[in-house]
């Protein structure tokens, strides 16, 4: 998979890709992530990427031309499956969306800033608009990092144990059940006895019940969706 991220603040985005699982995935050649600074695609001396709104109103709007130049340069090199715009008015990121995107070969992610981008960018270049939640960030970069993390960990080979992504919360529409490790008892706090018996069907059944109970208690909306 190849991800091209268009941003005015590449430095804000880079560190998540220089550590942990994302770095390992990149080093192993399972994913390529490229950053493109929008200012490199400007045509004036001031490297302007934004201007005031037509019709008046507070806040600057990102101009169509630098974005067109950047996206067109990328598209001249290869085909893209999606051109994603990170924006608070996009569809809310869910596990299912991360699953879908993890199957793509090449994607572009455009990070918005200020008031957002000229509507013509959205009309003519963007194939999907994603929000990471109902709050406004100062730019799309942190959202893009969240999206990339959620997607990249699903690429086969990225997680050490292939099954571990399948047992994540949300993968089966439920939250994950409680988990325990050594010691069996700490300060009198015990691990449920049944986890020691080696009765795998019984353990599996217990986990399913716990996942259901936890979901019912914390996120009943997830049960309504199924
Ligand atoms: N840019 C600003 N706010 C955002 C959000 N909630 N999700 C994605 N991109 C954003």
């Amino acid at each position: 998979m190849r991800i091209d991220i268009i941003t005015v603040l590449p430095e804000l985005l880079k560190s998540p890709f220089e550590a942990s699982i994302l770095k390992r995935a990149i080093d192993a050649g399972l994913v390529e992530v490229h950053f493109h600074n929008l200012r490199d695609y400007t045509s004036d001396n001031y490297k302007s990427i934004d201007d005031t709104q037509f019709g008046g109103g507070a806040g600057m709007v990102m101009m169509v031309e630098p974005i067109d130049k950047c996206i067109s340069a990328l598209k001249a090199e290869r085909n893209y499956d999606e051109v994603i715009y990170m924006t608070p008015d996009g569809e809310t990121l869910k596990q299912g969306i991360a699953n879908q995107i993890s199957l793509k070969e090449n994607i572009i992610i455009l990070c918005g800033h200020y008031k957002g981008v000229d509507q013509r960018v959205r009309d003519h270049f963007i194939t999907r608009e994603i929000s990471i939640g109902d709050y406004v960030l100062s730019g799309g970069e942190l959202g893009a990092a969240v999206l990339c993390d959620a997607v990249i960990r699903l690429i086969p080979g990225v997680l050490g144990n292939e099954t571990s992504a399948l047992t994540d919360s949300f993968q089966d529409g439920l939250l994950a059940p409680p988990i325990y490790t050594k010691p069996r008892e700490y300060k009198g706090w015990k691990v449920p006895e049944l986890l020691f018996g080696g009765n795998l069907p019984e353990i599996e059944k217990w986990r399913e019940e716990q996942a259901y109970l936890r979901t019912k208690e914390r996120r009943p909306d997830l049960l309504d969706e199924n």
Side-chain angles (χ1 to χ4, degrees), residues 86-88 130-133 135-137 139-140:
M86 301 308 301
T87 177
I130 296 179
S131 162
I132 64 160
Y135 38 82
V136 179
L137 303 168

Side-chain angles (χ1 to χ4, degrees), residues 7 9-16 35 113 138-142 145:
T7 168
L9 282 173
E11 59 279 17
L12 179 60
L13 251 177
K14 284 187 175 158
S15 71
F35 302 97
H113 258 270
S138 49
E141 283 75 13
L142 297 178

Side-chain angles (χ1 to χ4, degrees), residues 5-55:
I5 307 180
I6 304 172
T7 168
V8 282
L9 282 173
E11 59 279 17
L12 179 60
L13 251 177
K14 284 187 175 158
S15 71
F17 299 93
E18 287 163 0
S20 110
I21 287 176
L22 299 189
K23 177 173 175 8
R24 247 189 19 227
I26 291 166
D27 290 348
L30 297 168
V31 62
E32 277 180 43
V33 182
H34 300 269
F35 302 97
H36 306 278
N37 192 334
L38 204 50
R39 291 198 197 276
D40 296 339
Y41 296 86
T42 51
S43 46
D44 64 336
N45 289 341
Y46 302 103
K47 295 188 181 293
S48 312
I49 49 137
D50 60 336
D51 211 324
T52 53
Q53 255 188 86
F54 279 131

